[in-house]
Amino acid sequence: MTTSDHEHHHEPTDATTDPAEYWEERYSGAEPVWSGRVNTQLAALTADLPPGRALDLGCGEGADALWLAERGWQTTGVDIADTALHRAARAAAERGLDPELVRWVRADLATWTPDGRYDLVTASFLQSPLDFPRTEVLRRAAGAVAPGGHLLLVSHAAPPPWAKGLDPSTHHFVTPEQEVAGLDLDEQDFAVVVAEERTRPATGPDGEQAELTDTVVLLRRR
Ligand SMILES: C[S@@+](CC[C@H](N)C(=O)[O-])C[C@H]1O[C@@H](n2cnc3c(N)ncnc32)[C@H](O)[C@@H]1O
């Protein structure tokens, strides 16, 4: 999904180094954290793929997973935060989605292993200020892509202009080159379809408009 219109950044505190606690806290407010709209890049890059099994890692409140399910993908959304998954499940019910088409799994991706093969594995803004074995998680995810299937990673390439003074030791940004290199996948096995920065419009906390830059990597398993 698109990250929140108001791209707030939260510093972890000593009290919240546990990922489940930290993310639960992020979702503890009465309002949704994210926009509820599908991620612009994901919508553009998956619109023409034939629906199959899809896996959304760090699905949050489910906008991407729901969008995929509405297009006929048999979708699994995984997240560590119960509150986010409850919101996703509620949105699925409100939209009248066939319960057979979407399922929500509460798991810590640091240790979770995908169950079976997926025609599409996506991770949108799977970036954490806590210790998180992101590369390991993404490599495991790549291993779960079925032959002919795709891995789509959309990430923050840079902080938004209104996020001043972010701690660089906890806020990690990634370039397309770093993303592809970090995956260290066998070229015989995966073809790089897209590895580039793309921009999208966003609104800051005080209503300021800006173009945010995403790193977009789409790989296809041969
Ligand atoms: C920046 S949010 C992005 C959410 C959603 N994909 C989107 O694009 O709006 C990162 C998500 O990853 C989840 N997450 C972070 N660490 C995780 C972990 N170790 N295991 C599972 N999910 C995790 C968080 O709960 C959060 O929902």
Side-chain angles (χ1 to χ4, degrees), residues 1-3 19 23 27 34 58-60 64 79-81 107-110 124-128 132:
M1 78 187 75
T2 304
T3 52
W23 288 101
Y27 288 107
W34 314 113
C59 66
D64 289 353
D79 204 283
I80 200 165
D108 183 348
L109 290 168
S124 299
F125 311 106
L126 184 59
Q127 285 157 294
S128 174
F132 177 63

Side-chain angles (χ1 to χ4, degrees), residues 2-3 7 40-41 125 156 198-202 210-212 214:
T2 304
T3 52
E7 309 267 341
T40 314
Q41 327 295 0
F125 311 106
H156 296 294
R198 293 191 177 185
T199 57
R200 70 189 147 89
E211 292 263 284
L212 301 190
D214 297 330

Side-chain angles (χ1 to χ4, degrees), residues 1-4 19-20 22-24 26-27 33-37 39 56-64 78-82 84 105-112 122-133 137 154 156:
M1 78 187 75
T2 304
T3 52
S4 72
Y22 172 80
W23 288 101
E24 221 16 89
R26 287 288 306 272
Y27 288 107
V33 174
W34 314 113
S35 71
R37 290 191 302 276
N39 177 309
D56 184 11
L57 302 174
C59 66
E61 290 155 341
D64 289 353
V78 182
D79 204 283
I80 200 165
D82 266 328
V105 175
R106 195 226 164 250
D108 183 348
L109 290 168
T111 51
W112 187 74
T122 67
S124 299
F125 311 106
L126 184 59
Q127 285 157 294
S128 174
L130 304 179
D131 255 355
F132 177 63
V137 167
V154 181
H156 296 294

Side-chain angles (χ1 to χ4, degrees), residues 158-219:
W162 48 81
K164 300 270 186 282
L166 289 183
D167 179 351
S169 70
T170 51
H171 288 86
H172 311 285
F173 299 95
V174 61
T175 67
E177 295 74 23
Q178 287 167 341
E179 193 82 298
V180 173
L183 289 168
D184 192 26
L185 298 171
D186 184 351
E187 277 178 31
Q188 305 291 318
D189 201 10
F190 283 91
V192 178
V193 182
V194 174
E196 64 192 34
E197 292 188 347
R198 293 191 177 185
T199 57
R200 70 189 147 89
T203 308
D206 299 321
E208 60 274 61
Q209 302 295 312
E211 292 263 284
L212 301 190
T213 309
D214 297 330
T215 281
V216 181
V217 169
L218 178 67
L219 303 176

Side-chain angles (χ1 to χ4, degrees), residues 54-157:
L55 173 64
D56 184 11
L57 302 174
C59 66
E61 290 155 341
D64 289 353
L66 293 169
W67 187 88
L68 289 166
E70 281 177 333
R71 273 149 196 82
W73 291 84
Q74 182 90 42
T75 305
T76 299
V78 182
D79 204 283
I80 200 165
D82 266 328
T83 304
L85 294 175
H86 284 139
R87 287 181 187 158
R90 195 170 57 217
E94 281 168 6
R95 294 192 197 184
L97 256 177
D98 178 352
E100 297 284 304
L101 270 180
V102 64
R103 92 187 149 119
W104 310 104
V105 175
R106 195 226 164 250
D108 183 348
L109 290 168
T111 51
W112 187 74
T113 304
D115 50 342
R117 292 291 179 98
Y118 290 85
D119 305 294
L120 174 65
V121 178
T122 67
S124 299
F125 311 106
L126 184 59
Q127 285 157 294
S128 174
L130 304 179
D131 255 355
F132 177 63
R134 184 172 180 276
T135 303
E136 189 188 313
V137 167
L138 296 180
R139 281 179 56 82
R140 222 169 13 242
V145 176
H150 291 82
L151 176 66
L152 175 60
L153 309 176
V154 181
S155 317
H156 296 294

